[in-house]
């Protein structure tokens, strides 16, 4: 059951990453997604945008290195899921890709520089990447674990880890892209 939950989440991530909708991930998809995330960064947050780009570049590099067996430089949904289980979520790789992007994204969207995301910043963040405000508002409520009205870096990282690593169907981090049934 836990791997079924993760497989559903990885399928949702694949669909999200497949920017051109051709059912394959390519370097162009990763560049388009990085550009989408980078647009969220204000002009004075170049380091955050750079971290986002580096994280997506590393993610793509790992996918190619471990999964592009035919040399066509594209990854299908089954290959993506297998690579997510075996390589991307491995300890060092996960921090170098997913956590790096998450930290850069949080830094980019923390518009007032207080080190946390308030509801407006959070909803804006996910609106940029295609999550409807109704879903991101509910996600914010679930991810604000201490109920103080903001999502700290630790709460955001915990949500990222739960989304990608947890097989618990009820983990609050599963709301990262909205409800799981929406993403499945």
């Amino acid at each position: 059951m836990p791997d079924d939950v993760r497989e559903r989440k990885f399928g949702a991530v694949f669909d999200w990453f497949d920017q051109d909708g051709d059912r394959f991930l390519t370097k162009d998809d990763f560049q388009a997604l990085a550009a989408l995330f980078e647009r969220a960064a204000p002009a004075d947050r170049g380091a955050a945008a750079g971290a986002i780009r580096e994280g997506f570049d590393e993610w793509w590099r790992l996918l190619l290195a471990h999964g592009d067996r035919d040399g066509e430089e594209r990854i299908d949904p089954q290959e993506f899921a297998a690579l997510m289980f075996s390589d991307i979520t491995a300890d060092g790789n996960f921090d170098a890709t997913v956590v790096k992007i998450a930290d850069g994204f949080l830094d980019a969207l923390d518009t007032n520089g207080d080190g946390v995301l308030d509801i407006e910043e959070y909803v804006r963040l996910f609106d940029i990447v295609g999550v409807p405000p109704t879903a991101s508002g509910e996600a914010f409520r679930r991810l604000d674990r201490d109920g103080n009205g903001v999502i700290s870096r630790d709460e955001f990282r915990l949500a990222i880890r739960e989304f990608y690593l947890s097989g618990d169907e009820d983990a609050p981090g599963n709301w990262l892209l909205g409800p799981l049934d929406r993403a499945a």
Side-chain angles (χ1 to χ4, degrees), residues 88-163:
I88 302 302
T89 57
D91 286 337
N93 294 343
F94 188 75
D95 287 343
T97 57
V98 180
V99 173
K100 186 171 195 158
I101 293 165
D103 284 348
F105 208 30
L106 188 138
D107 291 341
L109 292 193
D110 176 19
T111 55
N112 61 10
D114 62 358
V116 296
L117 295 176
D118 61 34
I119 184 100
E120 292 82 18
E121 291 167 329
Y122 187 85
V123 168
R124 178 178 173 265
L125 172 138
F126 283 94
D127 187 45
I128 289 167
V129 296
V131 176
T134 53
S136 57
E138 177 63 18
F140 182 90
R141 186 186 68 71
R142 291 172 184 256
L143 302 181
D144 178 15
R145 309 274 175 127
D146 59 12
N148 68 349
V150 296
I151 296 176
S152 68
R153 183 173 304 275
D154 288 341
E155 287 172 321
F156 194 60
R157 280 182 164 190
L158 178 58
I160 294 290
R161 288 189 185 288
E162 282 180 343
F163 183 83

Side-chain angles (χ1 to χ4, degrees), residues 4-181:
D4 291 344
V5 172
R6 290 179 68 203
E7 196 165 313
R8 284 178 35 216
K9 292 186 280 188
F10 295 159
V13 171
F14 180 92
D15 291 344
W16 187 38
F17 280 18
D18 183 16
Q19 292 287 292
D20 62 11
D22 67 355
R23 302 301 297 154
F24 289 99
L25 297 181
T26 64
K27 184 175 184 175
D28 289 344
D29 289 315
F30 274 73
Q31 288 177 336
L33 198 56
L36 178 69
F37 275 66
E38 287 174 331
R39 280 195 295 276
D44 66 340
R45 304 276 167 96
I52 292 167
R53 170 76 56 196
E54 289 170 16
F56 276 113
D57 286 348
E58 179 64 11
W59 199 329
W60 178 243
R61 190 192 67 68
L62 285 169
L63 288 174
L64 281 183
H66 297 279
D68 184 28
R69 309 239 185 271
D70 59 11
E72 291 182 351
E73 295 192 2
R74 64 186 197 168
I75 304 294
D76 68 35
Q78 294 76 25
E79 290 170 324
F80 181 75
L83 291 165
M84 289 299 293
F85 278 108
S86 65
D87 293 292
I88 302 302
T89 57
D91 286 337
N93 294 343
F94 188 75
D95 287 343
T97 57
V98 180
V99 173
K100 186 171 195 158
I101 293 165
D103 284 348
F105 208 30
L106 188 138
D107 291 341
L109 292 193
D110 176 19
T111 55
N112 61 10
D114 62 358
V116 296
L117 295 176
D118 61 34
I119 184 100
E120 292 82 18
E121 291 167 329
Y122 187 85
V123 168
R124 178 178 173 265
L125 172 138
F126 283 94
D127 187 45
I128 289 167
V129 296
V131 176
T134 53
S136 57
E138 177 63 18
F140 182 90
R141 186 186 68 71
R142 291 172 184 256
L143 302 181
D144 178 15
R145 309 274 175 127
D146 59 12
N148 68 349
V150 296
I151 296 176
S152 68
R153 183 173 304 275
D154 288 341
E155 287 172 321
F156 194 60
R157 280 182 164 190
L158 178 58
I160 294 290
R161 288 189 185 288
E162 282 180 343
F163 183 83
Y164 285 97
L165 304 177
S166 175
D168 178 1
E169 180 103 26
D170 298 320
N174 291 344
W175 276 79
L176 199 60
L177 301 177
L180 262 186
D181 59 348

